[in-house]
Amino acid sequence: MYTGKPRVPKNYDEVLADGIKVYIFKEAVTAPDGIKISLGNWRGFPTLEIEGILTD
């Protein structure tokens, strides 16, 4: 995960999740129910939680 706009924005879908712009690679393999993006907290640090992106 990186912060900021991607170098080649046309390769990504822009999604607004809890007021935060998130860029997801257009060729990402997703779960049948889609992707869920939410804000979380880990030991007092804010986190961005992403569910539903599949790996090989």
Side-chain angles (χ1 to χ4, degrees):
M1 182 168 51
Y2 301 97
T3 59
K5 279 190 171 186
R7 288 186 182 170
V8 186
K10 69 178 183 175
N11 292 339
Y12 294 82
D13 290 321
E14 183 181 304
V15 179
L16 192 61
D18 289 332
I20 298 171
K21 284 183 189 177
V22 179
Y23 296 90
I24 300 171
F25 189 57
K26 287 187 179 191
E27 295 181 18
V29 178
T30 62
D33 293 340
I35 299 171
K36 179 182 175 188
I37 301 170
S38 59
L39 296 176
N41 190 305
W42 182 78
R43 296 186 179 184
F45 294 98
T47 60
L48 186 65
E49 298 176 356
I50 303 169
E51 297 177 28
I53 296 180
L54 306 177
T55 60
D56 4 50

Short mmCIF file of all heavy atoms in Angstrom, two decimals:
data_model
loop_
_atom_site.label_atom_id
_atom_site.label_comp_id
_atom_site.label_asym_id
_atom_site.label_seq_id
_atom_site.Cartn_x
_atom_site.Cartn_y
_atom_site.Cartn_z
N MET A 1 0.85 -1.16 0.00
CA MET A 1 0.00 0.00 0.00
C MET A 1 0.89 1.23 0.00
O MET A 1 1.92 1.27 0.68
CB MET A 1 -0.91 -0.03 1.22
CG MET A 1 -1.84 1.12 1.27
SD MET A 1 -3.20 1.03 2.47
CE MET A 1 -2.40 0.64 3.97
N TYR A 2 0.51 2.23 -0.77
CA TYR A 2 1.25 3.48 -0.87
C TYR A 2 0.30 4.64 -0.63
O TYR A 2 -0.91 4.50 -0.77
CB TYR A 2 1.85 3.63 -2.27
CG TYR A 2 2.77 2.50 -2.64
CD1 TYR A 2 2.33 1.43 -3.41
CD2 TYR A 2 4.09 2.51 -2.22
CE1 TYR A 2 3.17 0.39 -3.74
CE2 TYR A 2 4.95 1.48 -2.55
CZ TYR A 2 4.49 0.43 -3.32
OH TYR A 2 5.32 -0.60 -3.64
N THR A 3 0.85 5.79 -0.28
CA THR A 3 0.02 6.98 -0.14
C THR A 3 0.17 7.85 -1.38
O THR A 3 1.19 7.80 -2.06
CB THR A 3 0.42 7.79 1.11
OG1 THR A 3 1.79 8.17 0.99
CG2 THR A 3 0.23 6.98 2.37
N GLY A 4 -0.85 8.62 -1.67
CA GLY A 4 -0.83 9.51 -2.82
C GLY A 4 -1.44 8.88 -4.05
O GLY A 4 -1.82 7.72 -4.06
N LYS A 5 -1.52 9.70 -5.12
CA LYS A 5 -2.09 9.22 -6.38
C LYS A 5 -1.11 8.26 -7.05
O LYS A 5 0.11 8.43 -6.95
CB LYS A 5 -2.34 10.39 -7.32
CG LYS A 5 -3.60 11.14 -7.07
CD LYS A 5 -3.87 12.11 -8.18
CE LYS A 5 -5.25 12.70 -8.02
NZ LYS A 5 -5.61 13.54 -9.16
N PRO A 6 -1.64 7.27 -7.77
CA PRO A 6 -0.75 6.37 -8.52
C PRO A 6 -0.09 7.10 -9.68
O PRO A 6 -0.60 8.10 -10.18
CB PRO A 6 -1.69 5.28 -9.02
CG PRO A 6 -3.06 5.83 -8.92
CD PRO A 6 -3.03 6.91 -7.89
N ARG A 7 1.05 6.59 -10.10
CA ARG A 7 1.78 7.22 -11.22
C ARG A 7 0.99 7.17 -12.52
O ARG A 7 1.10 8.07 -13.34
CB ARG A 7 3.13 6.53 -11.42
CG ARG A 7 4.10 6.83 -10.33
CD ARG A 7 5.44 6.25 -10.64
NE ARG A 7 6.34 6.52 -9.54
CZ ARG A 7 7.52 6.01 -9.41
NH1 ARG A 7 7.96 5.15 -10.31
NH2 ARG A 7 8.28 6.31 -8.38
N VAL A 8 0.24 6.10 -12.72
CA VAL A 8 -0.58 5.95 -13.94
C VAL A 8 -2.03 5.78 -13.49
O VAL A 8 -2.55 4.67 -13.43
CB VAL A 8 -0.10 4.74 -14.78
CG1 VAL A 8 -0.86 4.69 -16.10
CG2 VAL A 8 1.40 4.78 -15.01
N PRO A 9 -2.72 6.89 -13.19
CA PRO A 9 -4.08 6.81 -12.65
C PRO A 9 -5.07 6.04 -13.51
O PRO A 9 -6.00 5.45 -12.98
CB PRO A 9 -4.49 8.28 -12.52
CG PRO A 9 -3.22 9.05 -12.47
CD PRO A 9 -2.25 8.25 -13.29
N LYS A 10 -4.87 6.00 -14.84
CA LYS A 10 -5.83 5.31 -15.71
C LYS A 10 -5.86 3.80 -15.44
O LYS A 10 -6.81 3.13 -15.83
CB LYS A 10 -5.52 5.58 -17.18
CG LYS A 10 -4.25 4.95 -17.67
CD LYS A 10 -4.02 5.22 -19.14
CE LYS A 10 -2.75 4.50 -19.60
NZ LYS A 10 -2.54 4.62 -21.02
N ASN A 11 -4.85 3.26 -14.76
CA ASN A 11 -4.81 1.83 -14.45
C ASN A 11 -5.53 1.49 -13.14
O ASN A 11 -5.54 0.33 -12.73
CB ASN A 11 -3.36 1.34 -14.34
CG ASN A 11 -2.64 1.37 -15.68
OD1 ASN A 11 -3.26 1.39 -16.73
ND2 ASN A 11 -1.33 1.40 -15.65
N TYR A 12 -6.13 2.49 -12.50
CA TYR A 12 -6.74 2.30 -11.19
C TYR A 12 -8.17 2.83 -11.17
O TYR A 12 -8.50 3.77 -11.89
CB TYR A 12 -5.93 3.04 -10.11
CG TYR A 12 -4.56 2.46 -9.92
CD1 TYR A 12 -3.51 2.80 -10.77
CD2 TYR A 12 -4.30 1.56 -8.90
CE1 TYR A 12 -2.24 2.26 -10.61
CE2 TYR A 12 -3.03 1.02 -8.72
CZ TYR A 12 -2.02 1.37 -9.59
OH TYR A 12 -0.77 0.82 -9.42
N ASP A 13 -9.00 2.24 -10.32
CA ASP A 13 -10.33 2.77 -10.04
C ASP A 13 -10.22 3.58 -8.77
O ASP A 13 -9.58 3.16 -7.79
CB ASP A 13 -11.34 1.63 -9.82
CG ASP A 13 -11.65 0.88 -11.10
OD1 ASP A 13 -11.77 1.53 -12.15
OD2 ASP A 13 -11.80 -0.35 -11.04
N GLU A 14 -10.82 4.76 -8.77
CA GLU A 14 -10.82 5.62 -7.58
C GLU A 14 -12.10 5.35 -6.79
O GLU A 14 -13.20 5.41 -7.34
CB GLU A 14 -10.75 7.08 -7.98
CG GLU A 14 -10.68 8.03 -6.82
CD GLU A 14 -10.63 9.47 -7.27
OE1 GLU A 14 -9.73 9.82 -8.05
OE2 GLU A 14 -11.49 10.25 -6.84
N VAL A 15 -11.94 5.05 -5.50
CA VAL A 15 -13.08 4.74 -4.63
C VAL A 15 -12.99 5.65 -3.42
O VAL A 15 -11.92 5.90 -2.89
CB VAL A 15 -13.02 3.26 -4.18
CG1 VAL A 15 -14.16 2.93 -3.26
CG2 VAL A 15 -13.01 2.33 -5.37
N LEU A 16 -14.13 6.14 -2.95
CA LEU A 16 -14.18 6.95 -1.74
C LEU A 16 -14.67 6.06 -0.60
O LEU A 16 -15.77 5.52 -0.66
CB LEU A 16 -15.12 8.14 -1.93
CG LEU A 16 -15.06 9.22 -0.87
CD1 LEU A 16 -13.67 9.84 -0.81
CD2 LEU A 16 -16.08 10.30 -1.17
N ALA A 17 -13.83 5.86 0.42
CA ALA A 17 -14.17 5.01 1.56
C ALA A 17 -14.00 5.81 2.84
O ALA A 17 -12.89 6.22 3.18
CB ALA A 17 -13.26 3.78 1.59
N ASP A 18 -15.08 6.05 3.55
CA ASP A 18 -15.05 6.85 4.78
C ASP A 18 -14.34 8.18 4.58
O ASP A 18 -13.56 8.62 5.41
CB ASP A 18 -14.39 6.06 5.91
CG ASP A 18 -15.25 4.92 6.40
OD1 ASP A 18 -16.48 5.02 6.31
OD2 ASP A 18 -14.69 3.93 6.89
N GLY A 19 -14.58 8.82 3.44
CA GLY A 19 -13.99 10.12 3.15
C GLY A 19 -12.54 10.06 2.69
O GLY A 19 -11.90 11.10 2.53
N ILE A 20 -12.00 8.88 2.44
CA ILE A 20 -10.62 8.72 1.99
C ILE A 20 -10.64 8.18 0.57
O ILE A 20 -11.31 7.19 0.27
CB ILE A 20 -9.86 7.74 2.90
CG1 ILE A 20 -9.81 8.30 4.32
CG2 ILE A 20 -8.45 7.50 2.38
CD1 ILE A 20 -9.26 7.31 5.33
N LYS A 21 -9.88 8.83 -0.34
CA LYS A 21 -9.75 8.33 -1.70
C LYS A 21 -8.82 7.13 -1.70
O LYS A 21 -7.71 7.20 -1.19
CB LYS A 21 -9.18 9.39 -2.64
CG LYS A 21 -10.15 10.45 -3.02
CD LYS A 21 -9.50 11.40 -4.00
CE LYS A 21 -10.38 12.60 -4.25
NZ LYS A 21 -9.72 13.56 -5.15
N VAL A 22 -9.28 6.04 -2.29
CA VAL A 22 -8.49 4.81 -2.38
C VAL A 22 -8.42 4.43 -3.86
O VAL A 22 -9.43 4.48 -4.56
CB VAL A 22 -9.15 3.67 -1.57
CG1 VAL A 22 -8.35 2.39 -1.68
CG2 VAL A 22 -9.31 4.07 -0.12
N TYR A 23 -7.23 4.07 -4.31
CA TYR A 23 -7.04 3.66 -5.70
C TYR A 23 -6.79 2.15 -5.73
O TYR A 23 -5.88 1.66 -5.08
CB TYR A 23 -5.86 4.40 -6.33
CG TYR A 23 -6.09 5.89 -6.41
CD1 TYR A 23 -5.72 6.72 -5.38
CD2 TYR A 23 -6.71 6.45 -7.52
CE1 TYR A 23 -5.94 8.09 -5.44
CE2 TYR A 23 -6.94 7.81 -7.60
CZ TYR A 23 -6.55 8.63 -6.55
OH TYR A 23 -6.78 9.97 -6.62
N ILE A 24 -7.61 1.43 -6.49
CA ILE A 24 -7.52 -0.02 -6.59
C ILE A 24 -7.17 -0.38 -8.03
O ILE A 24 -7.83 0.07 -8.97
CB ILE A 24 -8.85 -0.69 -6.17
CG1 ILE A 24 -9.18 -0.30 -4.73
CG2 ILE A 24 -8.77 -2.20 -6.34
CD1 ILE A 24 -10.55 -0.73 -4.29
N PHE A 25 -6.12 -1.19 -8.19
CA PHE A 25 -5.67 -1.60 -9.51
C PHE A 25 -6.82 -2.24 -10.27
O PHE A 25 -7.51 -3.13 -9.73
CB PHE A 25 -4.49 -2.57 -9.37
CG PHE A 25 -3.81 -2.90 -10.65
CD1 PHE A 25 -3.26 -1.89 -11.43
CD2 PHE A 25 -3.70 -4.20 -11.09
CE1 PHE A 25 -2.62 -2.18 -12.62
CE2 PHE A 25 -3.06 -4.50 -12.28
CZ PHE A 25 -2.51 -3.49 -13.06
N LYS A 26 -7.07 -1.80 -11.49
CA LYS A 26 -8.22 -2.29 -12.27
C LYS A 26 -8.19 -3.78 -12.53
O LYS A 26 -9.22 -4.40 -12.70
CB LYS A 26 -8.31 -1.54 -13.60
CG LYS A 26 -8.78 -0.12 -13.43
CD LYS A 26 -9.03 0.55 -14.74
CE LYS A 26 -9.53 1.97 -14.48
NZ LYS A 26 -10.05 2.60 -15.65
N GLU A 27 -7.00 -4.39 -12.55
CA GLU A 27 -6.91 -5.83 -12.82
C GLU A 27 -6.86 -6.66 -11.54
O GLU A 27 -6.59 -7.86 -11.59
CB GLU A 27 -5.68 -6.11 -13.68
CG GLU A 27 -5.78 -5.50 -15.06
CD GLU A 27 -4.57 -5.77 -15.93
OE1 GLU A 27 -3.81 -6.70 -15.63
OE2 GLU A 27 -4.41 -5.05 -16.92
N ALA A 28 -7.16 -6.05 -10.40
CA ALA A 28 -7.15 -6.79 -9.13
C ALA A 28 -8.21 -7.88 -9.16
O ALA A 28 -9.32 -7.68 -9.67
CB ALA A 28 -7.41 -5.84 -7.97
N VAL A 29 -7.87 -9.03 -8.62
CA VAL A 29 -8.81 -10.14 -8.54
C VAL A 29 -9.53 -10.01 -7.20
O VAL A 29 -8.90 -9.93 -6.15
CB VAL A 29 -8.08 -11.50 -8.63
CG1 VAL A 29 -9.06 -12.65 -8.50
CG2 VAL A 29 -7.30 -11.59 -9.93
N THR A 30 -10.86 -9.95 -7.25
CA THR A 30 -11.63 -9.71 -6.03
C THR A 30 -12.53 -10.90 -5.68
O THR A 30 -12.86 -11.72 -6.53
CB THR A 30 -12.51 -8.46 -6.19
OG1 THR A 30 -13.43 -8.66 -7.25
CG2 THR A 30 -11.67 -7.23 -6.48
N ALA A 31 -12.91 -10.95 -4.42
CA ALA A 31 -13.83 -11.97 -3.93
C ALA A 31 -15.20 -11.77 -4.59
O ALA A 31 -15.52 -10.67 -5.03
CB ALA A 31 -13.95 -11.88 -2.42
N PRO A 32 -16.02 -12.81 -4.64
CA PRO A 32 -17.35 -12.69 -5.26
C PRO A 32 -18.21 -11.58 -4.64
O PRO A 32 -19.01 -10.96 -5.33
CB PRO A 32 -17.98 -14.06 -5.03
CG PRO A 32 -16.83 -14.99 -4.90
CD PRO A 32 -15.74 -14.18 -4.23
N ASP A 33 -18.03 -11.33 -3.34
CA ASP A 33 -18.81 -10.28 -2.67
C ASP A 33 -18.22 -8.89 -2.86
O ASP A 33 -18.76 -7.92 -2.35
CB ASP A 33 -18.91 -10.57 -1.16
CG ASP A 33 -19.72 -11.83 -0.88
OD1 ASP A 33 -20.50 -12.24 -1.75
OD2 ASP A 33 -19.57 -12.39 0.22
N GLY A 34 -17.09 -8.78 -3.56
CA GLY A 34 -16.46 -7.49 -3.80
C GLY A 34 -15.45 -7.14 -2.73
O GLY A 34 -15.01 -7.98 -1.95
N ILE A 35 -15.08 -5.87 -2.69
CA ILE A 35 -14.06 -5.37 -1.77
C ILE A 35 -14.72 -4.55 -0.67
O ILE A 35 -15.62 -3.76 -0.95
CB ILE A 35 -13.05 -4.50 -2.53
CG1 ILE A 35 -12.35 -5.32 -3.61
CG2 ILE A 35 -12.03 -3.88 -1.59
CD1 ILE A 35 -11.49 -4.51 -4.54
N LYS A 36 -14.25 -4.72 0.54
CA LYS A 36 -14.73 -3.92 1.67
C LYS A 36 -13.54 -3.11 2.20
O LYS A 36 -12.49 -3.67 2.50
CB LYS A 36 -15.28 -4.82 2.78
CG LYS A 36 -15.75 -4.05 3.98
CD LYS A 36 -16.23 -4.97 5.09
CE LYS A 36 -16.59 -4.16 6.32
NZ LYS A 36 -16.89 -5.02 7.46
N ILE A 37 -13.71 -1.79 2.29
CA ILE A 37 -12.66 -0.90 2.78
C ILE A 37 -13.21 -0.18 4.01
O ILE A 37 -14.31 0.36 3.99
CB ILE A 37 -12.27 0.12 1.71
CG1 ILE A 37 -11.76 -0.61 0.46
CG2 ILE A 37 -11.22 1.08 2.23
CD1 ILE A 37 -11.57 0.28 -0.74
N SER A 38 -12.43 -0.19 5.09
CA SER A 38 -12.87 0.49 6.31
C SER A 38 -11.67 1.02 7.08
O SER A 38 -10.52 0.66 6.81
CB SER A 38 -13.68 -0.47 7.19
OG SER A 38 -12.89 -1.59 7.54
N LEU A 39 -11.95 1.89 8.03
CA LEU A 39 -10.90 2.42 8.90
C LEU A 39 -10.82 1.55 10.14
O LEU A 39 -11.82 1.08 10.65
CB LEU A 39 -11.21 3.87 9.29
CG LEU A 39 -11.23 4.86 8.14
CD1 LEU A 39 -11.64 6.23 8.65
CD2 LEU A 39 -9.87 4.93 7.46
N GLY A 40 -9.62 1.34 10.63
CA GLY A 40 -9.42 0.54 11.82
C GLY A 40 -8.39 1.18 12.73
O GLY A 40 -7.99 2.33 12.55
N ASN A 41 -7.97 0.41 13.72
CA ASN A 41 -7.00 0.90 14.69
C ASN A 41 -6.15 -0.27 15.15
O ASN A 41 -6.67 -1.32 15.51
CB ASN A 41 -7.75 1.53 15.87
CG ASN A 41 -6.84 2.26 16.79
OD1 ASN A 41 -5.86 1.72 17.29
ND2 ASN A 41 -7.16 3.51 17.04
N TRP A 42 -4.85 -0.11 15.12
CA TRP A 42 -3.93 -1.14 15.57
C TRP A 42 -2.97 -0.52 16.57
O TRP A 42 -2.16 0.33 16.22
CB TRP A 42 -3.15 -1.73 14.39
CG TRP A 42 -2.23 -2.83 14.77
CD1 TRP A 42 -2.57 -4.12 15.04
CD2 TRP A 42 -0.81 -2.76 14.92
NE1 TRP A 42 -1.46 -4.86 15.35
CE2 TRP A 42 -0.35 -4.03 15.29
CE3 TRP A 42 0.11 -1.74 14.79
CZ2 TRP A 42 0.98 -4.31 15.53
CZ3 TRP A 42 1.44 -2.02 15.03
CH2 TRP A 42 1.86 -3.30 15.39
N ARG A 43 -3.15 -0.89 17.84
CA ARG A 43 -2.29 -0.39 18.93
C ARG A 43 -2.22 1.13 18.96
O ARG A 43 -1.16 1.72 19.14
CB ARG A 43 -0.89 -0.98 18.82
CG ARG A 43 -0.87 -2.47 19.00
CD ARG A 43 0.53 -2.98 19.03
NE ARG A 43 0.52 -4.42 19.24
CZ ARG A 43 1.61 -5.14 19.38
NH1 ARG A 43 2.78 -4.57 19.35
NH2 ARG A 43 1.51 -6.43 19.56
N GLY A 44 -3.35 1.75 18.70
CA GLY A 44 -3.43 3.21 18.76
C GLY A 44 -3.10 3.91 17.46
O GLY A 44 -3.17 5.13 17.37
N PHE A 45 -2.75 3.16 16.42
CA PHE A 45 -2.43 3.75 15.12
C PHE A 45 -3.58 3.52 14.16
O PHE A 45 -4.08 2.40 14.05
CB PHE A 45 -1.15 3.12 14.54
CG PHE A 45 0.09 3.41 15.33
CD1 PHE A 45 0.57 2.47 16.25
CD2 PHE A 45 0.76 4.60 15.18
CE1 PHE A 45 1.70 2.72 16.99
CE2 PHE A 45 1.90 4.86 15.92
CZ PHE A 45 2.38 3.93 16.82
N PRO A 46 -3.98 4.57 13.42
CA PRO A 46 -5.06 4.38 12.45
C PRO A 46 -4.60 3.48 11.31
O PRO A 46 -3.44 3.54 10.88
CB PRO A 46 -5.36 5.80 11.95
CG PRO A 46 -4.15 6.59 12.29
CD PRO A 46 -3.48 5.93 13.45
N THR A 47 -5.49 2.62 10.83
CA THR A 47 -5.18 1.72 9.74
C THR A 47 -6.29 1.77 8.70
O THR A 47 -7.42 2.17 8.99
CB THR A 47 -5.03 0.27 10.22
OG1 THR A 47 -6.26 -0.15 10.83
CG2 THR A 47 -3.89 0.11 11.21
N LEU A 48 -5.95 1.35 7.49
CA LEU A 48 -6.92 1.19 6.43
C LEU A 48 -7.06 -0.31 6.23
O LEU A 48 -6.10 -1.00 5.90
CB LEU A 48 -6.44 1.87 5.15
CG LEU A 48 -7.40 1.91 3.99
CD1 LEU A 48 -8.62 2.77 4.33
CD2 LEU A 48 -6.72 2.45 2.76
N GLU A 49 -8.24 -0.84 6.45
CA GLU A 49 -8.47 -2.28 6.36
C GLU A 49 -9.17 -2.59 5.03
O GLU A 49 -10.16 -1.97 4.69
CB GLU A 49 -9.31 -2.76 7.53
CG GLU A 49 -8.60 -2.54 8.85
CD GLU A 49 -9.45 -2.92 10.06
OE1 GLU A 49 -10.62 -3.30 9.88
OE2 GLU A 49 -8.92 -2.83 11.18
N ILE A 50 -8.59 -3.53 4.30
CA ILE A 50 -9.12 -3.90 3.00
C ILE A 50 -9.37 -5.40 2.98
O ILE A 50 -8.47 -6.18 3.28
CB ILE A 50 -8.14 -3.50 1.88
CG1 ILE A 50 -7.86 -2.00 1.95
CG2 ILE A 50 -8.71 -3.89 0.52
CD1 ILE A 50 -6.74 -1.54 1.07
N GLU A 51 -10.57 -5.79 2.64
CA GLU A 51 -10.94 -7.22 2.55
C GLU A 51 -11.47 -7.48 1.15
O GLU A 51 -12.10 -6.62 0.55
CB GLU A 51 -12.04 -7.56 3.55
CG GLU A 51 -11.66 -7.38 5.00
CD GLU A 51 -12.82 -7.66 5.94
OE1 GLU A 51 -13.71 -8.45 5.56
OE2 GLU A 51 -12.85 -7.07 7.00
N GLY A 52 -11.19 -8.66 0.63
CA GLY A 52 -11.78 -9.07 -0.63
C GLY A 52 -10.86 -9.00 -1.83
O GLY A 52 -11.28 -9.31 -2.94
N ILE A 53 -9.60 -8.58 -1.65
CA ILE A 53 -8.64 -8.65 -2.75
C ILE A 53 -7.91 -9.96 -2.62
O ILE A 53 -7.33 -10.26 -1.59
CB ILE A 53 -7.67 -7.45 -2.74
CG1 ILE A 53 -8.44 -6.16 -2.96
CG2 ILE A 53 -6.59 -7.64 -3.79
CD1 ILE A 53 -7.58 -4.92 -2.97
N LEU A 54 -7.99 -10.76 -3.68
CA LEU A 54 -7.43 -12.11 -3.64
C LEU A 54 -6.01 -12.13 -4.19
O LEU A 54 -5.67 -11.37 -5.09
CB LEU A 54 -8.31 -13.06 -4.43
CG LEU A 54 -9.79 -13.08 -4.02
CD1 LEU A 54 -10.57 -14.02 -4.94
CD2 LEU A 54 -9.94 -13.50 -2.57
N THR A 55 -5.20 -13.03 -3.66
CA THR A 55 -3.85 -13.25 -4.18
C THR A 55 -3.81 -14.61 -4.84
O THR A 55 -4.71 -15.42 -4.67
CB THR A 55 -2.80 -13.19 -3.05
OG1 THR A 55 -3.10 -14.20 -2.10
CG2 THR A 55 -2.81 -11.83 -2.38
N ASP A 56 -2.75 -14.87 -5.59
CA ASP A 56 -2.68 -16.17 -6.26
C ASP A 56 -2.58 -17.21 -5.26
O ASP A 56 -2.75 -18.06 -4.82
CB ASP A 56 -1.53 -16.32 -7.21
CG ASP A 56 -0.55 -15.21 -7.30
OD1 ASP A 56 -0.05 -14.73 -6.30
OD2 ASP A 56 -0.26 -14.86 -8.43
#
